[in-house]
PDB file of all heavy atoms in Angstrom:
ATOM      1  N   THR A  81     119.652 113.738 -33.256  1.00  0.00           N
ATOM      2  CA  THR A  81     118.454 114.434 -33.725  1.00  0.00           C
ATOM      3  C   THR A  81     117.612 114.919 -32.552  1.00  0.00           C
ATOM      4  O   THR A  81     117.123 116.049 -32.544  1.00  0.00           O
ATOM      5  CB  THR A  81     117.613 113.500 -34.633  1.00  0.00           C
ATOM      6  OG1 THR A  81     118.428 113.089 -35.728  1.00  0.00           O
ATOM      7  CG2 THR A  81     116.373 114.179 -35.136  1.00  0.00           C
ATOM      8  N   THR A  82     117.460 114.080 -31.553  1.00  0.00           N
ATOM      9  CA  THR A  82     116.697 114.448 -30.356  1.00  0.00           C
ATOM     10  C   THR A  82     117.360 115.614 -29.631  1.00  0.00           C
ATOM     11  O   THR A  82     116.681 116.559 -29.217  1.00  0.00           O
ATOM     12  CB  THR A  82     116.566 113.230 -29.417  1.00  0.00           C
ATOM     13  OG1 THR A  82     115.904 112.189 -30.130  1.00  0.00           O
ATOM     14  CG2 THR A  82     115.802 113.572 -28.159  1.00  0.00           C
ATOM     15  N   ALA A  83     118.668 115.561 -29.476  1.00  0.00           N
ATOM     16  CA  ALA A  83     119.389 116.642 -28.799  1.00  0.00           C
ATOM     17  C   ALA A  83     119.265 117.953 -29.567  1.00  0.00           C
ATOM     18  O   ALA A  83     119.029 119.017 -28.965  1.00  0.00           O
ATOM     19  CB  ALA A  83     120.853 116.264 -28.613  1.00  0.00           C
ATOM     20  N   ILE A  84     119.414 117.898 -30.874  1.00  0.00           N
ATOM     21  CA  ILE A  84     119.296 119.114 -31.691  1.00  0.00           C
ATOM     22  C   ILE A  84     117.892 119.692 -31.581  1.00  0.00           C
ATOM     23  O   ILE A  84     117.721 120.902 -31.408  1.00  0.00           O
ATOM     24  CB  ILE A  84     119.680 118.829 -33.162  1.00  0.00           C
ATOM     25  CG1 ILE A  84     121.180 118.579 -33.260  1.00  0.00           C
ATOM     26  CG2 ILE A  84     119.260 119.975 -34.078  1.00  0.00           C
ATOM     27  CD1 ILE A  84     121.636 118.042 -34.612  1.00  0.00           C
ATOM     28  N   PHE A  85     116.883 118.829 -31.680  1.00  0.00           N
ATOM     29  CA  PHE A  85     115.503 119.297 -31.527  1.00  0.00           C
ATOM     30  C   PHE A  85     115.321 119.984 -30.179  1.00  0.00           C
ATOM     31  O   PHE A  85     114.726 121.054 -30.083  1.00  0.00           O
ATOM     32  CB  PHE A  85     114.509 118.139 -31.678  1.00  0.00           C
ATOM     33  CG  PHE A  85     113.092 118.548 -31.395  1.00  0.00           C
ATOM     34  CD1 PHE A  85     112.352 119.226 -32.350  1.00  0.00           C
ATOM     35  CD2 PHE A  85     112.499 118.261 -30.166  1.00  0.00           C
ATOM     36  CE1 PHE A  85     111.046 119.619 -32.083  1.00  0.00           C
ATOM     37  CE2 PHE A  85     111.195 118.647 -29.888  1.00  0.00           C
ATOM     38  CZ  PHE A  85     110.467 119.328 -30.853  1.00  0.00           C
ATOM     39  N   GLY A  86     115.821 119.363 -29.112  1.00  0.00           N
ATOM     40  CA  GLY A  86     115.684 119.928 -27.777  1.00  0.00           C
ATOM     41  C   GLY A  86     116.372 121.267 -27.628  1.00  0.00           C
ATOM     42  O   GLY A  86     115.831 122.193 -27.021  1.00  0.00           O
ATOM     43  N   VAL A  87     117.567 121.379 -28.188  1.00  0.00           N
ATOM     44  CA  VAL A  87     118.300 122.653 -28.123  1.00  0.00           C
ATOM     45  C   VAL A  87     117.548 123.733 -28.897  1.00  0.00           C
ATOM     46  O   VAL A  87     117.399 124.874 -28.421  1.00  0.00           O
ATOM     47  CB  VAL A  87     119.744 122.483 -28.650  1.00  0.00           C
ATOM     48  CG1 VAL A  87     120.422 123.829 -28.866  1.00  0.00           C
ATOM     49  CG2 VAL A  87     120.558 121.621 -27.691  1.00  0.00           C
ATOM     50  N   LEU A  88     117.055 123.394 -30.081  1.00  0.00           N
ATOM     51  CA  LEU A  88     116.299 124.374 -30.875  1.00  0.00           C
ATOM     52  C   LEU A  88     115.000 124.775 -30.176  1.00  0.00           C
ATOM     53  O   LEU A  88     114.642 125.961 -30.155  1.00  0.00           O
ATOM     54  CB  LEU A  88     116.007 123.819 -32.271  1.00  0.00           C
ATOM     55  CG  LEU A  88     117.216 123.646 -33.183  1.00  0.00           C
ATOM     56  CD1 LEU A  88     116.808 122.968 -34.496  1.00  0.00           C
ATOM     57  CD2 LEU A  88     117.893 124.983 -33.451  1.00  0.00           C
ATOM     58  N   LEU A  89     114.295 123.799 -29.605  1.00  0.00           N
ATOM     59  CA  LEU A  89     113.061 124.115 -28.874  1.00  0.00           C
ATOM     60  C   LEU A  89     113.362 124.996 -27.669  1.00  0.00           C
ATOM     61  O   LEU A  89     112.636 125.969 -27.406  1.00  0.00           O
ATOM     62  CB  LEU A  89     112.353 122.835 -28.436  1.00  0.00           C
ATOM     63  CG  LEU A  89     111.051 123.036 -27.658  1.00  0.00           C
ATOM     64  CD1 LEU A  89     109.999 123.722 -28.528  1.00  0.00           C
ATOM     65  CD2 LEU A  89     110.530 121.698 -27.143  1.00  0.00           C
ATOM     66  N   THR A  90     114.421 124.673 -26.948  1.00  0.00           N
ATOM     67  CA  THR A  90     114.809 125.483 -25.792  1.00  0.00           C
ATOM     68  C   THR A  90     115.116 126.914 -26.217  1.00  0.00           C
ATOM     69  O   THR A  90     114.661 127.874 -25.572  1.00  0.00           O
ATOM     70  CB  THR A  90     116.019 124.848 -25.069  1.00  0.00           C
ATOM     71  OG1 THR A  90     115.651 123.528 -24.638  1.00  0.00           O
ATOM     72  CG2 THR A  90     116.460 125.679 -23.881  1.00  0.00           C
ATOM     73  N   ALA A  91     115.864 127.077 -27.291  1.00  0.00           N
ATOM     74  CA  ALA A  91     116.183 128.431 -27.789  1.00  0.00           C
ATOM     75  C   ALA A  91     114.924 129.169 -28.229  1.00  0.00           C
ATOM     76  O   ALA A  91     114.768 130.358 -27.937  1.00  0.00           O
ATOM     77  CB  ALA A  91     117.177 128.331 -28.947  1.00  0.00           C
ATOM     78  N   LEU A  92     114.042 128.468 -28.920  1.00  0.00           N
ATOM     79  CA  LEU A  92     112.790 129.086 -29.358  1.00  0.00           C
ATOM     80  C   LEU A  92     111.963 129.537 -28.160  1.00  0.00           C
ATOM     81  O   LEU A  92     111.446 130.659 -28.135  1.00  0.00           O
ATOM     82  CB  LEU A  92     111.977 128.097 -30.211  1.00  0.00           C
ATOM     83  CG  LEU A  92     110.598 128.569 -30.645  1.00  0.00           C
ATOM     84  CD1 LEU A  92     110.716 129.673 -31.692  1.00  0.00           C
ATOM     85  CD2 LEU A  92     109.786 127.403 -31.184  1.00  0.00           C
TER      86      LEU A  92
END
Side-chain angles (χ1 to χ4, degrees):
T81 302
T82 301
I84 290 170
F85 174 79
V87 168
L88 292 175
L89 180 64
T90 300
L92 175 71

